[in-house]
Amino acid sequence: MRETMKPMYRLKKEDVESVKKLLRIVNAEYTGCLNEYEKGVRDFAKEYLSSIERDVTTLYYVKGLTVQEIARRSDRNISTISRNITRGTGRAMQIIKLARAISPLKF
């Protein structure tokens, strides 16, 4: 269970899963397993999300770390991490909405 401090960006359960999928695609080390649509989404997301937003949002959603754990590990303020997760989540949802509109991917 997460500690009390959470980003204020509220997502439905299915949207959390979509964000996780997007972040896994963006952070994929072996790109041979990605189809052309996934590669396009990944390239766009890498341009649209800052590296810090990508990193902290991945740690939060994919790795399951709390805001406090991320702040402690990165030696940053909790409010900074929370803000980066909130921005990263909002941008990830914009990417997902675009991907849903133009590709056959199930986001």
Side-chain angles (χ1 to χ4, degrees), residues 74-92:
S74 64
D75 198 29
R76 288 198 158 98
N77 191 296
I78 290 172
S79 64
T80 300
I81 297 301
S82 181
R83 185 174 52 251
N84 285 322
I85 293 170
T86 300
R87 286 181 184 160
T89 301
R91 289 183 179 176

Side-chain angles (χ1 to χ4, degrees), residues 21 25 37 39 56 65 70 86-88 102:
K21 180 177 181 177
I25 290 170
Y37 291 107
K39 288 177 184 175
V56 298
L65 299 180
I70 298 167
T86 300
R87 286 181 184 160
I102 64 171

